[in-house]
Amino acid sequence: MMPFDYQRAESIGAAAGLARDARNARFIAGGTNLLDLMKLEIETPQMLIDISRLPLDTIEEADDGRLRIGALVTNADLAADHRVRRDYPVLSRALLAGASGQLRNKATTAGNLLQRTRCYYFYNPAMPCNKREPGSGCGALEGHNRIHAILGASEHCIATHPSDMAVAMMALEAEVEILGGGTQRTIALEQFYRLPGNTPHIETVLEPGDLITAVVLPAPIPGRHSYRKVRDRASYAFALTSIAAIVDFDGTTIRDIRLAFGGLAPMPWRDRDIEDLLRGKAPSDALWDQAADTLLADARGYGENDFKLALARRTLAAVLDQACSGGR
């Protein structure tokens, strides 16, 4: 691990100020991903700003029904919160599907949004990786790419985003509160991540020194909430594919639906064309096939991950069948 300076922030404003004035600084709270990256010298910050004691660890319900989740709320506390379990079960289930109990006790809401890809080549400094070292190439393109993306990738990077929590938040249309440059701004999670294009090392719209202070969920969304994660083993594995679904019925037809996908793309993936196709229709196998065709219209496998094309199709049909039968 490379040497670095350490500062414990005494206030939210002080944290933002330290980040603004320092060169190559990183915020740290749970550290469940950053410390591993520093040990491998993939991340080499000159300063760590410890924000773990800032008052950003509460969940507050607004008068308009929205739920504001502090950036430092742990994944375990968020999954167990009675308002999340009652009104946003898709989020609680996604959180419980991610990582181990020990990690959920340390991992934070903001840190989960910013965790880095689990691409083998990103974690191996001896291998080319445009995300770790721009311009070095992408070893996964013609290498081991079983866990990699089939949607939204580029010839410069085919890594996937690892978060389960962010997939559920994408379906919920969460917003991210950010403090940077002395001002507070709010951005939709759907606009927060960037696809790799020719700059895969730039993963979000955050600017240097920006501090995530909270994530805001909309007022409770009616419908059946479900989260399905397909992985290589029953626990402590990242998704090969996952789907967060919120389906509301009007008699026997789909009144409204929200779908977000994990494990298929460099960011939590939402395709509104699928939702438009399904809305107002009666459930049927033929409709599920059309939805999968829409999802996979621009999908591409790279060899080892070709199986994800069929896996995504089957998982989508299973999730929709389950939602229409009243299952969760």
Side-chain angles (χ1 to χ4, degrees):
M1 185 182 292
M2 300 290 288
F4 58 89
D5 293 329
Y6 171 86
Q7 291 276 349
R8 175 175 292 161
E10 300 299 330
S11 68
I12 297 171
L18 283 168
R20 184 176 60 246
D21 297 338
R23 183 169 175 268
N24 191 21
R26 295 286 189 278
F27 297 112
I28 187 166
T32 56
N33 189 202
L34 179 58
L35 289 179
D36 285 342
L37 294 170
M38 291 176 65
K39 291 173 185 174
L40 294 169
E41 298 186 359
I42 294 168
E43 290 270 9
T44 56
Q46 294 183 5
M47 175 183 286
L48 281 186
I49 303 171
D50 185 347
I51 59 172
S52 62
R53 299 189 183 187
L54 297 183
L56 296 171
D57 58 350
T58 58
I59 303 173
E60 301 169 320
E61 193 169 357
D63 292 339
D64 60 4
R66 297 189 301 163
L67 199 67
R68 185 176 185 274
I69 304 162
L72 298 181
V73 173
T74 67
N75 288 180
D77 286 347
L78 184 58
D81 184 89
H82 72 279
R83 293 158 295 190
V84 173
R85 295 177 63 189
R86 180 190 64 204
D87 298 329
Y88 310 94
V90 63
L91 176 57
S92 181
R93 292 178 184 128
L95 286 160
L96 294 174
S100 64
Q102 293 93 331
L103 284 171
R104 291 196 295 270
N105 285 336
K106 291 294 292 182
T108 64
T109 297
N112 194 305
L113 292 180
L114 297 176
Q115 63 177 307
R116 310 293 301 275
T117 180
R118 263 57 182 182
C119 172
Y120 322 120
Y121 299 89
F122 176 72
Y123 277 82
N124 186 345
M127 302 299 291
C129 173
N130 288 319
K131 186 181 288 292
R132 173 173 33 80
E133 185 179 349
S136 63
C138 175
L141 279 171
E142 297 182 356
H144 295 297
N145 50 45
R146 182 172 181 276
I147 64 172
H148 288 71
I150 60 172
L151 292 167
S154 76
E155 293 306 309
H156 300 277
C157 182
I158 60 173
T160 54
H161 193 273
S163 174
D164 292 291
M165 183 197 78
V167 176
M169 287 186 169
M170 187 70 78
L172 289 166
E173 298 184 359
E175 296 180 326
V176 184
E177 291 185 357
I178 301 164
L179 178 62
T183 61
Q184 186 91 32
R185 67 185 191 278
T186 300
I187 184 168
L189 185 61
E190 206 163 352
Q191 305 300 319
F192 180 75
Y193 294 107
R194 291 180 49 158
L195 290 175
N198 58 9
T199 56
H201 58 293
I202 303 175
E203 298 172 339
T204 71
V205 299
L206 291 178
E207 298 291 337
D210 279 350
L211 173 66
I212 296 175
T213 54
V215 174
V216 180
L217 303 182
I221 301 166
R224 296 166 182 163
H225 289 220
S226 65
Y227 185 77
R228 178 170 291 208
K229 179 177 181 178
V230 181
R231 47 190 163 180
D232 282 325
R233 57 181 185 271
S235 66
Y236 201 58
F238 294 95
L240 295 171
T241 186
S242 66
I243 301 178
I246 305 171
V247 187
D248 189 29
F249 286 92
D250 181 7
T252 58
T253 62
I254 299 171
R255 187 202 326 260
D256 196 16
I257 185 167
R258 300 177 183 211
L259 296 168
F261 301 82
L264 301 180
M267 58 182 281
W269 191 260
R270 189 170 180 194
D271 186 335
R272 292 179 184 270
D273 288 342
I274 304 174
E275 298 168 12
D276 291 341
L277 171 72
L278 295 171
R279 204 170 284 119
K281 305 283 180 57
S284 71
D285 290 343
L287 184 60
W288 303 162
D289 283 341
Q290 291 179 47
D293 289 343
T294 301
L295 170 67
L296 300 171
D298 296 321
R300 174 192 169 185
Y302 293 86
E304 289 184 354
N305 70 343
D306 289 350
F307 75 98
K308 284 192 175 184
L309 295 164
L311 181 64
R313 178 178 292 275
R314 289 198 297 269
T315 306
L316 177 59
V319 166
L320 293 171
D321 270 340
Q322 186 180 36
C324 294
S325 65
R328 295 175 186 274

